[in-house]
Amino acid sequence: MNQSPTLIEQGISRQHLKTVSCANVLTLAYQSLGVIYGDLSTSPLYVYKTTFSGKLSLHEDDEEIFGVFSFIFWTFTLIALFKYVFIVLSADDNGEGGTFALYSLLCRYAKLRVLPNHQEMDEKLSTYAMGSPGETRQSAAVKSFFEKHPKSQKGLLLFVLLGTCMAIGDSVLTPTISVLSAVSGVKLKIPELHENYVVIISCIILVAIFSVQRFGTHRVAFIFAPISTAWLLSISSIGVYNTIKWNPHIVSALSPVYMYKFLRNTGVQGWVSLGGVVLSITGVETMFADLGHFSSLSIKVAFSFFVYPCLILAYMGEAAFLSKHHEDIQRSFYKAIPEPVFWPVFIIATFAAVIGSQAVISATFSIISQCCALDCFPRVKIIHTSSKIHGQIYIPEVNWMLMCLCLAVTIGLRDTNMIGHAYGLAVTSVMLVTTCLMSLVMIIVWKQRAITGLAFLFCFGSIELLYFSSCVYKIPEGGWIPILLSLTFMAVMYIWNYGTTKKHEFDVENKVSIDRIVALGPSIGMVRVPGIGLVYTNLVTGVPAVFGHFVTNLPAFHRVLVFVCVKSVQVPYIGEEERFVISRVGPKEYGMFRSVVRYGYRDVPREMYDFESRLVSAIVEFVETEPGTEEEEEWCNSLRMRKEETMEIMEAKEAGVAYILGQSYAKAKQSSSVLKKLAVDVVFAFMSTNCRGTDVVLNVPHTSLLEVGMVYYV
């Protein structure tokens, strides 16, 4: 699973990976500081404060503080360094990371969830490569289990959607807790400042963060890396200073013995407080999800040699300060900053909080885009914010929805401790999903022995379960927020996926024969008119029922007819040279073609994409290179016929292109349950009506659009 990416502008090419020089790796490692580690590096703002909230604040002696730091160190080392950096980052899908990348790998290797319009030719894509076809006994057994139990496949999909929705919930909580924690530091210098003003300032900053999203991160990205670097260097330097000045013996807390002493002395309250400790590794999932913007090696170098030691020193110094200042436990981060550098660090902290927010917001845009591609989320407007860097996108609807949710949490809770409890539950949930998927990847994709996958699941899963259980305990104290958010998003995703799947099944069951339509031509007075007709359909074979409905009511269609299927394939990217698959529908004299247009789950069609010209060019190329038949007597005669057909296609294009779209409406059958009727007739119908129409998504000119309405029952 090793990769060697080649540089582009501010990222790497995802499809043509080549060996890069040491200088390029270091350049990417530096750039990653401003994109990936913003969330992770701002955790010191609130970790100790959240951990020592509640009843644990009664145990503020040195041994408890040493124990908490020991937990932070070993959690950071085992989960962030060993699990994510050394293992999980290697499980990329053609250079892409994240929950969907792991699920995509499993779907391809084990065919856990084949998309409805999947074709065997999709498996010949260069990015679909699955390595050696060899199977181990353990991997074959796992595949067989999923094949024999279809419900387990649906359960795995729900499990992945849960992790995805928790990650979206993370994008609501990260900006809130980061900005509110950073701004609250001003109260140390201005004690008379009322809490309402802190909330107002935080809300203004949040509104500003979301308001500039439409301009794209590339316009301000050049300052992100220097700010993150300055932030990490400043907090690590302060950490060294505090360690030397207040308590050099804090180094002994690196021993895991202090974790045992902590739990022994604090009991249940110590276990409950671990929900604050886990906040130290928030952002590791973002690090994996943003893998596609950089190389695995550059991320490993940046984390191992810079981010990891800087954050450990920062946590160590704060613990040393706390061991001598028990009364400052709820404002320890800013209290530990030496007076001469307070305001510079405060300003950098505010900017660092903005960068941390930017990282998860951008990751959420990518997640929603992937969900839309895999029919797990209603169609939304996706805008490219950079003409040079693929993957930098902006989704207005999601952006303003996140802003409203962030403002609601900030104004409603006002307390970073409660927000931290919610944050911890979201983070541990996503990490557990990744651990479970990763263990399956080891067995099915990497062909490792089952004991290896189970060992990974047990070692890291048990640690994460410990933290997850402590976060679950705090559901009444704010932990209910990510649960509510994730269940809402999950219901939306599942209902949309269910509705679109049923629609495809309806199309497959009701497709018609083109020979029958042509045979009916004389009886209904069917004529062929000049131009090209593009009939959009979800089918990769056969003629959609909507076309039969169209010609029986309006018995005329274009001289050149193309059935266009725009579909997603379970790979991240598809090259332009593999985008179109052209074939004929019926004999040559029919003048009918089928064009399957394939996109990966991270491909986003650009709005100014010259689709018509590229499609016609692909059809002409197909006609000119189409293999001859035995009935053609001479090669020159065949060449003349190809030229004539090519001229007909070009003349048809000059006559005009018409787009024929099916406007389908779903309704539940009369025999359906009340719950199904509610989901289909109310929720799915509402989303279908209010999401972006197919004509807008495909950038169809309204002057050339024909819509055919149909109702299908599920």
Side-chain angles (χ1 to χ4, degrees):
M1 304 301 293
N2 294 330
Q3 58 185 14
S4 301
T6 181
L7 284 172
I8 61 173
E9 294 280 330
Q10 295 181 9
I12 60 168
S13 169
R14 301 167 178 82
Q15 298 169 6
H16 305 288
L17 304 180
K18 301 178 181 178
T19 304
V20 294
S21 66
C22 181
N24 287 338
V25 171
L26 293 177
T27 301
L28 281 176
Y30 172 71
Q31 292 172 346
S32 70
L33 295 176
V35 178
I36 293 178
Y37 298 111
D39 185 12
L40 191 66
S41 63
T42 54
S43 298
L45 286 169
Y46 44 78
V47 168
Y48 282 107
K49 181 179 184 294
T50 306
T51 303
F52 283 98
S53 63
K55 296 181 180 179
L56 188 63
S57 58
L58 301 176
H59 302 277
E60 295 169 9
D61 57 20
D62 287 357
E63 196 161 280
E64 275 68 32
I65 293 173
F66 276 42
V68 168
F69 171 65
S70 184
F71 262 104
I72 291 173
F73 171 76
W74 285 105
T75 302
F76 213 79
T77 302
L78 293 176
I79 302 297
L81 186 63
F82 288 173
K83 176 192 167 183
Y84 277 91
V85 173
F86 291 164
I87 301 176
V88 175
L89 284 181
S90 300
D92 64 283
D93 182 12
N94 290 282
E96 292 297 323
T99 304
F100 263 105
L102 294 179
Y103 185 57
S104 175
L105 283 173
L106 293 173
C107 288
R108 292 212 306 274
Y109 279 79
K111 298 184 179 179
L112 296 182
R113 179 181 177 263
V114 177
L115 291 174
N117 46 20
H118 176 78
Q119 296 172 286
E120 288 188 6
M121 69 177 65
D122 296 338
E123 300 180 11
K124 298 179 181 178
L125 288 165
S126 58
T127 51
Y128 206 99
M130 297 192 299
S132 60
E135 284 283 354
T136 63
R137 186 166 55 88
Q138 292 92 339
S139 63
V142 176
K143 289 182 182 180
S144 176
F145 173 80
F146 281 109
E147 290 174 0
K148 293 179 180 178
H149 302 84
K151 289 185 178 180
S152 64
Q153 299 182 29
K154 185 175 292 186
L156 184 63
L157 173 62
L158 290 173
F159 189 60
V160 171
L161 290 181
L162 174 63
T164 303
C165 294
M166 281 293 187
I168 297 174
D170 186 9
S171 65
V172 174
L173 299 170
T174 296
T176 303
I177 193 171
S178 298
V179 172
L180 192 58
S181 298
V183 174
S184 62
V186 76
K187 293 185 68 176
L188 289 179
K189 297 301 179 182
I190 313 176
E192 63 275 10
L193 187 67
H194 195 275
E195 181 186 0
N196 289 342
Y197 291 104
V198 174
V199 173
I200 292 173
I201 295 172
S202 300
C203 289
I204 292 173
I205 294 176
L206 287 171
V207 171
I209 291 173
F210 287 100
S211 297
V212 300
Q213 294 300 313
R214 62 192 180 93
F215 298 110
T217 57
H218 67 286
R219 299 187 186 277
V220 290
F222 69 95
I223 65 170
F224 281 4
I227 291 176
S228 292
T229 303
W231 167 250
L232 288 168
L233 288 175
S234 62
I235 61 175
S236 60
S237 301
I238 293 171
V240 172
Y241 169 81
N242 285 329
T243 300
I244 296 173
K245 180 177 181 179
W246 300 111
N247 194 348
H249 296 292
I250 192 67
V251 177
S252 62
L254 298 178
S255 169
V257 173
Y258 281 90
M259 292 191 293
Y260 167 74
K261 292 181 178 179
F262 173 78
L263 292 177
R264 183 191 62 188
N265 295 338
T266 58
V268 174
Q269 292 305 320
W271 162 69
V272 171
S273 71
L274 294 180
V277 172
V278 78
L279 297 181
S280 63
I281 53 174
T282 58
V284 290
E285 194 65 36
T286 303
M287 176 175 66
F288 178 44
D290 288 336
L291 177 61
H293 295 285
F294 303 93
S295 68
S296 176
L297 180 59
S298 64
I299 294 176
K300 292 178 179 179
V301 168
F303 184 87
S304 303
F305 296 101
F306 186 69
V307 177
Y308 175 77
C310 284
L311 289 176
I312 293 299
L313 289 173
Y315 286 118
M316 182 186 295
E318 192 172 346
F321 175 84
L322 280 175
S323 66
K324 304 300 181 183
H325 302 81
H326 296 172
E327 70 282 359
D328 294 326
I329 200 74
Q330 284 299 304
R331 45 187 178 174
S332 59
F333 178 81
Y334 283 109
K335 275 287 188 178
I337 299 175
E339 185 68 26
V341 297
F342 177 86
W343 286 111
V345 173
F346 173 78
I347 295 172
I348 296 176
T350 304
F351 279 109
V354 172
I355 295 173
S357 304
Q358 180 64 59
V360 294
I361 294 170
S362 300
T364 302
F365 292 158
S366 297
I367 289 172
I368 296 296
S369 174
Q370 294 171 29
C371 291
C372 291
L374 297 178
D375 289 333
C376 290
F377 199 83
R379 296 180 297 271
V380 291
K381 185 177 184 179
I382 301 176
I383 301 173
H384 281 270
T385 58
S386 172
S387 59
K388 298 180 180 179
I389 306 172
H390 186 98
Q392 286 197 0
I393 58 176
Y394 167 64
I395 304 178
E397 298 97 322
V398 175
N399 181 69
W400 302 122
M401 176 191 67
L402 290 178
M403 186 191 76
C404 293
L405 291 173
C406 284
L407 293 176
V409 172
T410 304
I411 297 172
L413 296 185
R414 298 173 174 240
D415 183 8
T416 55
N417 289 333
M418 290 189 68
I419 300 174
H421 299 157
Y423 198 14
L425 185 61
V427 170
T428 52
S429 300
V430 178
M431 290 193 300
L432 272 172
V433 171
T434 299
T435 299
C436 295
L437 293 178
M438 190 65 209
S439 62
L440 290 175
V441 167
M442 286 182 168
I443 299 173
I444 297 175
V445 181
W446 291 357
K447 304 295 189 294
Q448 297 293 319
R449 297 176 61 186
I451 190 67
T452 304
L454 292 175
F456 177 88
L457 180 63
F458 175 78
C459 292
F460 295 107
S462 58
I463 297 173
E464 290 160 0
L465 275 176
L466 175 65
Y467 289 120
F468 180 77
S469 62
S470 66
C471 293
V472 168
Y473 184 85
K474 294 183 178 180
I475 287 179
E477 302 175 23
W480 56 271
I481 296 175
I483 294 178
L484 179 63
L485 290 173
S486 63
L487 289 179
T488 303
F489 281 111
M490 193 171 174
V492 169
M493 289 182 177
Y494 187 77
I495 291 174
W496 183 261
N497 178 261
Y498 176 82
T500 51
T501 302
K502 289 298 181 182
K503 178 182 181 301
H504 184 269
E505 292 176 358
F506 176 86
D507 289 339
V508 171
E509 292 172 359
N510 293 274
K511 62 184 179 182
V512 297
S513 168
I514 190 64
D515 292 329
R516 182 185 174 191
I517 292 177
V518 174
L520 286 174
S523 62
I524 61 176
M526 188 181 301
V527 296
R528 303 291 291 269
V529 297
I532 297 178
L534 303 183
V535 182
Y536 282 87
T537 172
N538 290 325
L539 300 177
V540 292
T541 59
V543 177
V546 67
F547 181 70
H549 185 62
F550 170 72
V551 295
T552 53
N553 288 274
L554 183 64
F557 57 92
H558 298 81
R559 193 171 302 280
V560 177
L561 194 68
V562 185
F563 295 98
V564 181
C565 174
V566 181
K567 71 171 191 175
S568 294
V569 184
Q570 286 169 327
V571 294
Y573 302 99
I574 295 177
E576 288 297 325
E577 67 280 0
E578 298 178 304
R579 181 83 65 205
F580 293 91
V581 178
I582 309 295
S583 60
R584 285 193 183 273
V585 178
K588 284 187 178 182
E589 55 267 22
Y590 285 8
M592 299 181 184
F593 301 89
R594 184 182 310 281
S595 174
V596 179
V597 188
R598 302 180 293 187
Y599 289 95
Y601 59 80
R602 288 199 68 125
D603 277 326
V604 181
R606 296 183 182 273
E607 292 191 356
M608 300 306 294
Y609 189 66
D610 189 9
F611 180 76
E612 287 182 17
S613 299
R614 298 186 70 88
L615 177 61
V616 172
S617 298
I619 294 174
V620 169
E621 182 181 353
F622 168 79
V623 170
E624 293 177 347
T625 59
E626 185 180 16
T629 63
E630 296 179 359
E631 298 174 358
E632 294 170 345
E633 298 177 356
E634 298 178 357
W635 177 82
C636 59
N637 186 39
S638 173
L639 184 62
R640 180 180 57 81
M641 293 174 62
R642 293 172 192 266
K643 288 184 177 180
E644 289 178 356
E645 188 173 11
T646 299
M647 290 299 297
E648 289 179 3
I649 295 172
M650 298 307 295
E651 289 173 0
K653 183 189 176 185
E654 292 297 326
V657 179
Y659 296 79
I660 303 171
L661 299 179
Q663 190 68 30
S664 302
Y665 301 93
K667 284 188 176 295
K669 296 178 180 178
Q670 290 294 329
S671 58
S672 302
S673 64
V674 176
L675 184 62
K676 184 176 180 179
K677 289 181 179 179
L678 175 66
V680 176
D681 295 345
V682 179
V683 181
F684 184 75
F686 175 81
M687 291 190 291
S688 299
T689 304
N690 291 279
C691 72
R692 283 170 69 82
T694 308
D695 56 325
V696 180
V697 174
L698 298 172
N699 199 31
V700 175
H702 290 283
T703 55
S704 306
L705 176 63
L706 292 173
E707 288 190 314
V708 183
M710 284 192 70
V711 177
Y712 63 96
Y713 293 89
V714 298

